Amino acid sequence: MSRQPLQEGDMRIAIIGAGNVGGGMAGAAVAAGHDVVLSAAHPDRARATAEATGARAAEGNTVAVEGAQVVVLAVPGVDAPAVAAELAPTLGGAVVVDATNPLNEAYSDLAITGTSGAEAVQQAAGAVPVVKAFNTVFASRYAAPTENGTPLQVLLAGNDSDAKARVAELATSLGFAPIDVGGLRLARSLEEIAFLNITLNATKGWSWQSAFQLVGPTA
């Protein structure tokens, strides 16, 4: 699987998962000039999504992450820790972005209590830094990152400042306004925010375009 030479500011990004989130992220990242490779549980779906977005497809997760600077988990939230554990030995200097939300099968609540999906991913990933990001923004907005001319905010939580800076750079390149909310403990809040937005759209018949935005003075 050949890799393209990178231009300044571009990143090598591996996306694990080819559903709405994986496909949305792939399309937005390719449009921003990044080198993007996709893998999925069903390689045929990864190939179809890669073809549709301009990304490249890998036959497996460990192949996809070779040489990646950022690895985006776009799998079902309850599966994310197991995927992180699978990939951890091969990630090298990569940063893992947990873009998932650990919903239960009925989508009626989060599937975990007392912690966050991102903290479980970090435990599974060991020394590889994990950043919670993009989970509070619907995949439908990855290619439409502004509202009335104002960038939507991507809230980041993680324990490694360098890792968060890299993910903030990615978010900015896609047209978002990143906000560092603090340590990975705050991922619990980000997952609840996402759950609220999902619930509102599912129960009120909204168009899955809504986003939460912090407004007002910050100093």
Side-chain angles (χ1 to χ4, degrees):
M1 183 177 59
S2 62
R3 292 189 178 272
Q4 303 300 316
L6 294 180
Q7 303 298 316
E8 184 177 357
D10 294 342
M11 299 182 188
R12 297 199 190 280
I13 301 171
I15 300 173
I16 312 302
N20 290 338
V21 174
M25 179 61 67
V30 168
H34 300 296
D35 177 30
V36 181
V37 61
L38 278 164
S39 66
H42 300 287
D44 287 346
R45 186 168 189 184
R47 286 190 288 270
T49 302
E51 183 177 355
T53 59
R56 293 174 294 113
E59 290 301 313
N61 294 345
T62 55
V63 176
V65 303
E66 290 177 0
Q69 295 163 290
V70 175
V71 175
V72 180
L73 299 185
V75 298
V78 293
D79 297 335
V83 174
E86 172 199 354
L87 296 177
T90 62
L91 289 179
V95 172
V96 170
V97 174
D98 177 18
T100 74
N101 288 300
L103 301 172
N104 64 20
E105 291 185 359
Y107 291 83
S108 61
D109 203 344
L110 298 180
I112 57 177
T113 58
T115 186
S116 66
E119 288 167 290
V121 169
Q122 181 65 83
Q123 185 175 15
V128 178
V130 173
V131 177
K132 190 77 181 186
F134 297 105
N135 73 301
T136 58
V137 179
F138 288 141
S140 57
R141 298 308 299 256
Y142 290 170
T146 63
E147 185 71 22
N148 296 324
T150 299
L152 299 179
Q153 295 161 352
V154 166
L155 307 179
L156 315 174
N159 297 334
D160 186 300
S161 58
D162 290 339
K164 285 190 287 187
R166 188 181 302 179
V167 178
E169 182 182 350
L170 171 59
T172 300
S173 76
L174 302 184
F176 293 102
I179 296 180
D180 182 350
V181 304
L184 206 56
R185 162 65 178 82
L186 273 300
R188 305 178 197 183
S189 298
L190 302 192
E191 291 171 2
E192 290 286 2
I193 288 172
F195 174 55
L196 174 58
N197 204 13
I198 291 167
T199 300
L200 287 170
N201 279 266
T203 59
K204 296 183 178 297
W206 292 358
S207 60
W208 300 90
Q209 296 291 313
S210 57
F212 284 97
Q213 197 85 337
L214 294 168
V215 299
T218 58

